[in-house]
C-alpha cells in the first residue's frame, strides 16, 4: 500500500463544500474518472468534482462495487490534491465491512485534500452502514459524508425502508443522503419533507430535468457514471464513423489540451521527488489516451 504525503485542504474548503448543499440552486456534481476528465470538468466552471467508481474501476481493469479499487481511488485523490476545485470521492461501501477500516480510508482521503466521501449501503444491514458513517465522522469530523441507500437501485423502492435507512444514517452523522434510482418527483418531494438532510439524487436522461429536481427540493444532483459511459459511447460512434469513411461529428479536445490536463501537477513542498517518482508513473496515463 502506498503512503501518500498529507495535503489537507483548509477547513474553509470543507465548509464551502457543505455550503454548496444549502445554496439557492442544487449542487450539480459531475463525476470524473481520471485527472484529465476532472480538470476538464472543473474548467467548465463546476466548483466541485466527484469521482465515479465505475470509471475508476474500468480504467484499472477491475470490477466495480466489489471493494477492488481502494488503492486506485486513493491514488486519483492524491493526484488531484493541489487542484483549485473541491474533490469528493465515491468510495463504494468504504472498501471494507469493518467501520474502523472505513474510517482509516476516510482519514487517508482527507489527508490528501478530499472534502467529501460517498458511502453506499449496497442494501446491506442499515445498522452496519450506520456504524461505518459514525466511525468516519468520529475520525474525520470535517469530511462531508454523503450516505447512500440502494433501496431504489438494488431493492424494490420501498419508501418506508428508504426513510428508515436515511434516518438511521442521518442520526449516525451523515451530512447528506443519496438515493440513486429514485426518479419519481412525488417520492422525491416526500423524502425532502421527511428526511432532515440535503437530498442527493442521480440524474437520469430519462428522468426529471435539473429544474424539476430543484423545484422538488433536491439539493445535490450527481451524474454518476453517465459521463464516462457517454465518453465511451462517443468513442465507439467515432470509430464506427471513421470505419464507414465518414468524419466523426462532435467536439474533440486538442491533443495538447488533454496532455496538459493529464500531466502531474505536484507542489514541491508537498511531495519529495522520491515519493513523486514512486507514485506518479502509476497516475499519469501514457500516450494520447485520456482514460
Amino acid at each position: 500500500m502506498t503512503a501518500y504525503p498529507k495535503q489537507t485542504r483548509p477547513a474553509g474548503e470543507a465548509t464551502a463544500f457543505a455550503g454548496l448543499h444549502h445554496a439557492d440552486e442544487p449542487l450539480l456534481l459531475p463525476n470524473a474518472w481520471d485527472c484529465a476528465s476532472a480538470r476538464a470538468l472543473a474548467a467548465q466552471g463546476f466548483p466541485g468534482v466527484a469521482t465515479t467508481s465505475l470509471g475508476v474501476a474500468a480504467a484499472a481493469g477491475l470490477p466495480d462495487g466489489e471493494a477492488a479499487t481502494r488503492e486506485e481511488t486513493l491514488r486519483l485523490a492524491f493526484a488531484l490534491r493541489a487542484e483549485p476545485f473541491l474533490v469528493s470521492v465515491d468510495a463504494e461501501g468504504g472498501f471494507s465491512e469493518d467501520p474502523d477500516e472505513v474510517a482509516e480510508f476516510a482519514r487517508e482521503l482527507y489527508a490528501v485534500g478530499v472534502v467529501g466521501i460517498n458511502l453506499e449501503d449496497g442494501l446491506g444491514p442499515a445498522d452496519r452502514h450506520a456504524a461505518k458513517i459514525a466511525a468516519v465522522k468520529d475520525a474525520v469530523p470535517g469530511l462531508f459524508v454523503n450516505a447512500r441507500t440502494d433501496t431504489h437501485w438494488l431493492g424494490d423502492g420501498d419508501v418506508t425502508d428508504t426513510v428508515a435507512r436515511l434516518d438511521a444514517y442521518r442520526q449516525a452523522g451523515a451530512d447528506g443522503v443519496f438515493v440513486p434510482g429514485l426518479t419519481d418527483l412525488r417520492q422525491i418531494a416526500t423524502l425532502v419533507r421527511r428526511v432532515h438532510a440535503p437530498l442527493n439524487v442521480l440524474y437520469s436522461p430519462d428522468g426529471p430535468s435539473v429544474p424539476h429536481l430543484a423545484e422538488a427540493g433536491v439539493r445535490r444532483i450527481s451524474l454518476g457514471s453517465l459521463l464516462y459511459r457517454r465518453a465511451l459511447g462517443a468513442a465507439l460512434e467515432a470509430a464506427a464513423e471513421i470505419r464507414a469513411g465518414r468524419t466523426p461529428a462532435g467536439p474533440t479536445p486538442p491533443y495538447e489540451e488533454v496532455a496538459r490536463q493529464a500531466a502531474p501537477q505536484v507542489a514541491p513542498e508537498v511531495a519529495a521527488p522520491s515519493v513523486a517518482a514512486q507514485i506518479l508513473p502509476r497516475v499519469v496515463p501514457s500516450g494520447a489516451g485520456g482514460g
Side-chain angles (χ1 to χ4, degrees), residues 207-276:
S209 66
V210 168
H212 286 155
L213 291 172
E215 290 175 6
V218 170
R219 304 314 309 149
R220 171 166 158 175
I221 303 168
S222 298
L223 300 187
S225 65
L226 176 63
L227 299 182
Y228 176 78
R229 292 182 288 112
R230 290 274 296 184
L232 182 58
L236 295 174
E237 182 179 15
E241 290 289 289
I242 293 169
R243 182 169 57 186
R246 296 186 290 269
T247 301
T252 302
Y255 170 86
E256 293 78 10
E257 179 182 335
V258 177
R260 175 178 53 80
Q261 290 168 336
Q265 300 179 14
V266 182
E269 68 277 10
V270 173
S274 59
V275 175

Side-chain angles (χ1 to χ4, degrees), residues 73-178:
T73 300
L74 183 57
R75 189 177 302 129
L76 178 56
F78 176 78
L80 297 173
R81 68 197 180 282
E83 299 299 331
F85 52 88
L86 304 171
V87 177
S88 182
V89 164
D90 179 354
E92 298 184 3
F95 303 115
S96 175
E97 295 306 322
D98 183 341
D100 290 338
E101 292 182 0
V102 176
E104 177 57 30
F105 182 66
R107 189 182 291 110
E108 291 180 75
L109 289 176
Y110 192 70
V112 299
V114 170
V115 297
I117 187 173
N118 192 77
L119 292 173
E120 60 195 52
D121 65 12
L123 220 60
D127 58 348
R128 183 178 65 196
H129 198 57
K132 292 181 183 182
I133 295 166
V136 169
K137 292 302 293 185
D138 183 60
V140 198
L143 187 67
F144 188 99
V145 175
N146 197 43
R148 164 176 160 171
T149 183
D150 288 303
T151 52
H152 286 70
W153 193 254
L154 301 174
D156 58 8
D158 182 77
V159 175
T160 301
D161 186 28
T162 301
V163 172
R165 285 173 177 269
L166 297 183
D167 279 342
Y169 303 158
R170 182 68 185 95
Q171 291 175 23
D175 302 284
V177 293
F178 184 24

Side-chain angles (χ1 to χ4, degrees), residues 16-86:
F17 184 69
L20 292 174
H21 296 74
H22 301 277
D24 293 337
E25 299 294 330
L27 170 62
L28 180 60
L29 195 64
N31 297 70
W33 54 93
D34 61 12
C35 292
S37 58
R39 291 167 181 153
L41 288 165
Q44 294 298 307
F46 292 99
V49 175
T51 62
T52 161
S53 65
L54 175 63
V56 172
L62 295 169
D64 181 38
E66 297 185 18
T69 58
R70 185 190 192 280
E71 185 68 9
E72 288 74 16
T73 300
L74 183 57
R75 189 177 302 129
L76 178 56
F78 176 78
L80 297 173
R81 68 197 180 282
E83 299 299 331
F85 52 88
L86 304 171

